[in-house]
Amino acid sequence: MAAAMVGVCLTGIGLLHVGIAWGKRASFADDLLAVDSLIFLIAMLASYLAVRTPDARRRTWLHRLEQVADATFILAMLLLTAACFVITYAVSA
């Protein structure tokens, strides 16, 4: 899911740059989406490593990776929502 959300952020950045090229006012929404895509990438990598680590003896390490994946995914979703509000009000202004 986090990998798909990185694609959503990149699509949003592309659309914002097309709007800027057409003379629309630039906003910092593309910066928010760029940071957001990095946070989604961290969530994706933590989740992937938690699933792919074969050693069951490192349960605390796996639990920590799962916590990082959960926390970063939720943070990135909140940031994506904030970016949507910025985009909405920048376009309507």
Side-chain angles (χ1 to χ4, degrees):
M1 185 68 182
M5 298 311 291
V6 170
V8 168
C9 291
L10 293 175
T11 302
I13 291 169
L15 290 173
L16 285 172
H17 282 278
V18 167
I20 291 168
W22 283 354
K24 298 286 184 187
R25 189 170 49 110
S27 69
F28 72 100
D30 55 345
D31 296 333
L32 285 176
L33 290 174
V35 170
D36 199 26
S37 66
L38 291 175
I39 297 171
F40 275 122
L41 180 65
I42 292 168
M44 180 190 66
L45 289 174
S47 177
Y48 178 80
L49 290 174
V51 170
R52 291 293 186 175
T53 303
D55 192 4
R57 292 176 293 182
R58 293 189 261 179
R59 291 196 188 273
T60 57
W61 174 247
L62 295 177
H63 183 66
R64 184 72 177 144
L65 281 174
E66 290 171 357
Q67 288 177 332
V68 168
D70 289 341
T72 53
F73 187 80
I74 291 169
L75 175 66
M77 287 301 290
L78 291 171
L79 188 59
L80 183 61
T81 303
C84 288
F85 276 103
V86 170
I87 293 167
T88 299
Y89 291 112
V91 170
S92 65

